[in-house]
């Protein structure tokens, strides 16, 4: 069964304090790994898709990386507006499989 | 371009009533997905539909839940005879053909009294 585990569950940082969020996964053939941001009371907002080990994607203060077993979301010099829950999800290569399997998320708080 | 639209945003039902949740995908997207987020739990896949077809309903509870995506109009998630355990946020997502990214709507928060 495909599984995603995110750590830590919650993380508090000071503004400007860089850190990384972890997403470990097991999947029967990876079609893609996805990162989303979710603010309270809202739907997940798409951030990145990663397809193969070694791939990296960047957007503003965020950089996502992928290995064969895990993905990291690096946050450089975060600002309070980066506070949100960050969700990781995998999509399997199985024929017809389009569903996303999500982790529990990491709740990130950036203090000014 | 409008994103995924869901209505209502909040829905209150008494036990035993029916709940109908609507989702209009991004214009041009032909794939629709429904997910459920229970309090303090992660997002769980329910069903994947294309126009007039259910492709994968492996995450749907066996009873009381049904979904459709007709040729015209929005996708509908129907929950019959709701129970308190159905209280959750229900999210719809859509994707275009040939792409894997799914774009989510704002969700419908269902409360069962």
């Amino acid at each position: 069964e495909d599984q995603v585990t995110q750590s830590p569950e919650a993380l508090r940082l000071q503004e400007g304090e860089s850190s990384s969020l972890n997403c470990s996964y097991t999947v029967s053939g990876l079609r893609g790994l996805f990162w989303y941001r979710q603010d309270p009371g809202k739907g997940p907002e798409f951030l990145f898709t990663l397809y193969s080990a070694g791939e990296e994607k960047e957007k503003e203060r965020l950089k996502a990386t992928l290995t064969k077993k895990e993905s990291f979301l690096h946050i450089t010099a975060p600002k309070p507006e980066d506070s949100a829950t960050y969700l990781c999800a995998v999509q399997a290569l199985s024929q017809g499989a389009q569903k996303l399997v999500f982790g529990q998320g990491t709740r990130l708080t950036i203090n000014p | 371009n409008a994103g995924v639209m869901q209505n209502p945003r909040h829905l209150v039902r008494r036990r035993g009533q029916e709940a109908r949740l609507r989702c209009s995908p991004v214009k041009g997207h032909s794939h629709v997905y429904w997910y459920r987020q229970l309090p303090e739990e992660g997002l769980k896949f329910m069903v994947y539909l294309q126009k007039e077809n259910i492709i994968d309903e492996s995450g749907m509870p066996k009873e009381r839940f049904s979904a459709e995506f007709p040729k015209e109009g929005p996708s509908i998630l129907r929950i019959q005879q709701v129970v308190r355990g159905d209280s959750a946020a229900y999210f719809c997502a859509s994707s275009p053909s040939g792409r894997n990214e799914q774009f989510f709507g704002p969700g419908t928060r269902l409360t069962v009294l």
Side-chain angles (χ1 to χ4, degrees):
Chain A
E1 185 180 330
D2 303 334
Q3 268 193 318
V4 177
T5 303
Q6 292 187 245
S7 62
E9 286 186 18
L11 181 62
R12 283 185 176 273
L13 300 171
Q14 290 299 122
E15 184 173 0
E17 182 185 359
S18 302
S19 188
S20 296
L21 313 183
N22 177 263
C23 170
S24 298
Y25 64 91
T26 54
V27 64
S28 53
L30 181 69
R31 183 191 301 269
L33 184 140
F34 304 82
W35 282 98
Y36 287 84
R37 168 192 171 128
Q38 187 175 24
D39 292 295
K42 297 191 176 181
E45 175 190 344
F46 171 74
L47 293 174
F48 304 111
T49 309
L50 300 165
Y51 290 105
S52 56
E55 190 175 359
E56 298 183 354
K57 294 270 180 75
E58 282 190 68
K59 180 180 178 179
E60 296 181 355
R61 296 177 291 282
L62 299 176
K63 183 169 81 171
T65 62
L66 181 65
T67 73
K68 288 187 177 179
K69 291 184 179 180
E70 56 191 351
S71 177
F72 292 94
L73 185 65
H74 307 277
I75 302 178
T76 303
K79 298 181 178 181
E81 54 262 41
D82 295 321
S83 297
T85 296
Y86 290 85
L87 302 171
C88 173
V90 297
Q91 190 177 57
L93 265 175
S94 311
Q95 190 170 3
Q98 296 280 344
K99 67 181 180 183
L100 297 179
V101 177
F102 280 88
Q104 296 288 92
T106 293
R107 192 167 57 254
L108 177 65
T109 304
I110 309 298
N111 295 316
Chain B
N1 274 341
V4 176
M5 297 174 67
Q6 291 188 247
N7 66 80
R9 295 291 310 277
H10 299 274
L11 182 61
V12 179
R13 284 288 178 265
R14 296 191 181 278
R15 282 178 295 169
Q17 292 184 319
E18 178 179 286
R20 290 169 65 94
L21 286 61
R22 295 175 185 75
C23 168
S24 296
V26 174
K27 189 175 181 181
H29 287 194
S30 56
H31 302 249
V32 165
Y33 314 82
W34 286 93
Y35 292 82
R36 178 164 66 173
Q37 191 169 40
L38 291 165
E40 305 304 320
E41 292 191 19
L43 278 158
K44 303 289 186 190
F45 168 80
M46 299 181 74
V47 63
Y48 161 40
L49 310 105
Q50 295 179 20
K51 285 284 187 182
E52 299 185 284
N53 284 304
I54 296 174
I55 308 300
D56 180 359
E57 56 182 346
S58 59
M60 287 278 269
K62 296 284 184 250
E63 297 177 351
R64 303 186 296 107
F65 286 72
S66 62
E68 62 178 9
F69 188 19
K71 188 175 179 181
E72 302 289 340
S75 175
I76 306 286
L77 179 68
R78 182 185 293 118
I79 311 172
Q80 295 178 303
Q81 299 177 316
V82 296
V83 300
R84 289 216 173 107
D86 296 332
S87 295
Y90 292 82
F91 292 97
C92 171
S94 72
S95 66
S97 292
R99 297 292 303 272
N100 297 320
E101 293 84 0
Q102 297 179 18
F103 299 91
F104 283 78
T108 293
R109 278 144 189 87
L110 172 65
T111 302
V112 179
L113 301 178

